[in-house]
Amino acid sequence: MKLKNTCSAVVYTMKYGDPRFLLEQKGSGRVSVPNAELYVKENEQETDRAVFSGRISLAVQLDTVFEDGKWQSASDGIGTGMVFYLAKAGAEETEDLDTEETGLYWRRYEECFHSVKDESDLELLKHAAAYLAVRYRLRNPVKEFGYIWYREHAADIHGHLIPGVDDGSQSVEETLELLQLAREEGVQWAIATPHYGEENGYRPDRDTVAEKYKRLSEYLFLSGSPIKAKLGTEWYCSEHIVERIRNQEAFPMGESDWYMVEFLEWGNVTEPADVMLRRLKKMKDSGIKTILAHPERYQAVQQDWNLAKRICDLDVRLQVNAYDLFLNPKDATRNLAQWMAEERMISFIGSDMHGTRIKPDGKPARRPQLKEGIRWLYDHADPEYANEVVRVNAEKYLGVPKLLD
């Protein structure tokens, strides 16, 4: 087994339909979330295990969709970090654990707050309780936990998931792998948005796309996938965009009358501000509701940040790639994305995922990377606005089912 010595877990079990969290009482009387060494199975014959103090071992079901951090200062002044996942212990593993000899105890969430005093432990338990409330459809106070419900069940409105119609996924198996990775990044609903344009090299047949989407939906249902998908399109915003939309050559976003567009941007190919504004205005004047994909990546916007505001003034909604909010190493792209978030200009997030394979040029296809960007958004924006970006706007405008009634 592989030792994950930089990771720990919030261990819980389900009893009478409610979670019980594992706490530890030290000799000093201090009660805390115990640190567990995680041993992750390497084959089907093994099980994940959480080990406490090198002597008490629990078989667990590890849930890495949940992730939180806890940082402590060492005596030498160097901070040490610990990543916490969730680990569910089966009922048979818990019978003899709650004893004075072990110092480990199972407690209901409400009871934890009477004994745990450390603020970081309390935040960790609050996050875990909110996540489990959604997972098991438990009753929980929305005012206290609402932002975490959305953070763990995001709507990714931009992904190239329809097999074999563009430069995205090339097989159903690759799409299923992409969606599993997206769920691990906190996504519950995704919109498949194949390229459509001609000028950008892609003009797949509408009926073919519809049939492949139907088959994909059946695969997701039969496989019991925890993530669901709707159909959309990433249209190239050409001079002919209005005519193509009117001719229904491809699809709107989900169950809506909104259309997502992009401009050319690769290598030395880019499009100037006046072209972007003219075409977007044409869409507005034609009564077409428009979403602009990843504006933080266009050179014209990077050179003049106010161009983003002028685009918003055309009633265009902006979709930013979550990767660009935190992980993108290019300062121009990352700084612009963060500024747009701070100015509350972003309406949706996406991953722009393309695949899990290695491309002919030797580079990996773009995988879904949203978790860190979403975390940055909640750390730097009002939670209500972050909820809108992460999921609520997709529910309101694009037909994604409501997470909270």
Side-chain angles (χ1 to χ4, degrees):
M1 290 186 177
K2 186 184 298 183
L3 177 61
K4 299 287 187 179
N5 57 9
T6 59
C7 301
S8 188
V10 179
V11 181
Y12 75 99
T13 189
M14 295 299 292
K15 191 172 184 179
Y16 306 122
D18 286 317
R20 302 290 195 273
F21 293 101
L22 191 63
L23 300 180
E24 180 180 20
Q25 183 168 357
K26 306 287 187 180
S28 63
R30 177 175 175 269
V31 178
S32 63
V33 176
N35 285 340
E37 291 182 329
L38 296 181
Y39 292 82
V40 181
K41 66 181 180 182
E42 294 184 340
N43 56 61
E44 291 302 317
Q45 285 69 47
E46 296 176 346
T47 58
D48 297 328
R49 303 198 72 84
V51 179
F52 304 90
S53 304
R55 60 189 180 87
I56 299 172
S57 176
L58 288 179
V60 297
Q61 296 175 350
L62 199 61
D63 184 344
T64 58
V65 173
F66 174 94
E67 181 179 319
D68 206 337
K70 181 180 176 184
W71 291 265
Q72 298 176 335
S73 296
S75 58
D76 58 4
I78 300 176
T80 58
M82 181 73 72
V83 174
F84 282 82
Y85 300 117
L86 268 176
K88 181 183 179 183
E92 68 281 0
E93 295 282 339
T94 66
E95 293 297 327
D96 301 322
L97 187 62
D98 194 334
T99 68
E100 184 175 346
E101 180 181 352
T102 64
L104 299 171
Y105 303 90
W106 297 105
R107 293 292 182 266
R108 296 175 65 245
Y109 170 72
E110 294 83 357
E111 297 171 332
C112 295
F113 277 75
H114 295 300
S115 52
V116 177
K117 303 302 180 185
D118 183 80
E119 287 296 329
S120 61
D121 278 351
L122 292 175
E123 286 300 313
L124 184 61
L125 289 167
K126 185 184 294 185
H127 185 181
Y131 177 85
L132 293 174
V134 175
R135 176 172 177 178
Y136 291 103
R137 299 186 179 278
L138 306 176
R139 298 180 63 182
N140 243 312
V142 175
K143 287 184 178 179
E144 186 176 3
F145 295 139
Y147 79 96
I148 299 175
W149 295 46
Y150 290 106
R151 191 173 84 176
E152 305 291 353
H153 295 75
D156 176 357
I157 77 159
H158 187 170
H160 296 269
L161 300 167
I162 306 299
V165 299
D166 62 5
D167 59 342
S169 171
Q170 297 302 301
S171 67
V172 170
E173 291 75 18
E174 187 174 18
T175 296
L176 294 177
E177 187 176 359
L178 275 173
L179 290 176
Q180 178 59 43
L181 292 173
R183 186 68 196 101
E184 293 172 6
E185 293 288 314
V187 174
Q188 188 190 38
W189 278 89
I191 299 183
T193 53
H195 290 293
Y196 187 86
E198 187 175 289
E199 295 85 352
N200 62 356
Y202 301 100
R203 198 168 182 176
D205 176 71
R206 178 187 171 97
D207 291 341
T208 298
V209 172
E211 177 59 29
K212 290 192 173 187
Y213 168 69
K214 180 181 177 182
R215 278 187 281 166
L216 173 61
S217 298
E218 292 170 352
Y219 274 112
L220 293 177
F221 176 78
L222 293 173
S223 67
S225 172
I227 189 169
K228 308 302 179 184
K230 291 185 175 292
L231 182 58
T233 304
E234 184 180 18
W235 302 72
Y236 168 58
C237 194
S238 72
E239 296 291 349
H240 310 290
I241 182 65
V242 171
E243 292 82 359
R244 289 173 179 171
I245 288 175
R246 291 284 184 250
N247 292 336
Q248 299 183 356
E249 295 178 16
F251 299 91
M253 295 293 286
E255 299 166 11
S256 78
D257 54 356
W258 286 82
Y259 292 82
M260 187 170 75
V261 300
E262 67 167 341
F263 290 97
L264 297 179
E265 187 70 50
W266 66 75
N268 295 323
V269 179
T270 187
E271 297 189 78
D274 61 333
V275 170
M276 297 171 70
L277 290 171
R278 184 179 71 248
R279 294 177 185 172
L280 292 171
K281 185 176 185 302
K282 183 178 180 181
M283 294 184 72
K284 178 186 178 183
D285 293 344
S286 300
I288 298 173
K289 299 176 182 177
T290 306
I291 300 168
L292 178 59
H294 44 60
E296 73 278 9
R297 298 199 166 188
Y298 301 127
Q299 291 185 40
V301 187
Q302 291 180 4
Q303 293 165 4
D304 178 10
W305 288 10
N306 283 324
L307 176 57
K309 291 186 175 181
R310 296 171 68 188
I311 290 172
C312 289
D313 288 342
L314 294 172
D315 296 328
V316 175
R317 303 292 190 268
L318 305 184
Q319 173 265 305
V320 163
N321 289 356
Y323 172 84
D324 294 335
L325 282 169
F326 184 74
L327 294 177
N328 197 317
K330 297 179 180 178
D331 291 342
T333 305
R334 187 183 65 257
N335 291 342
L336 175 56
Q338 292 180 356
W339 174 77
M340 288 191 292
E342 291 165 355
E343 293 292 317
R344 300 173 66 95
M345 299 167 64
I346 302 171
S347 293
F348 307 96
I349 60 160
S351 65
D352 197 6
M353 55 181 145
H354 275 65
T356 59
R357 67 195 181 282
I358 301 299
K359 298 185 294 185
D361 61 5
K363 297 180 180 179
R366 184 180 298 126
R367 297 187 174 207
Q369 292 180 279
L370 300 99
K371 183 181 295 183
E372 293 303 323
I374 291 174
R375 186 186 297 272
W376 182 93
L377 185 62
Y378 278 100
D379 286 343
H380 293 83
D382 175 79
E384 185 175 353
Y385 168 66
N387 287 345
E388 292 174 358
V389 173
V390 169
R391 176 147 179 161
V392 173
N393 284 339
E395 295 175 349
K396 185 176 180 180
Y397 299 113
L398 308 183
V400 170
K402 286 188 176 181
L403 180 61
L404 301 176
D405 294 325

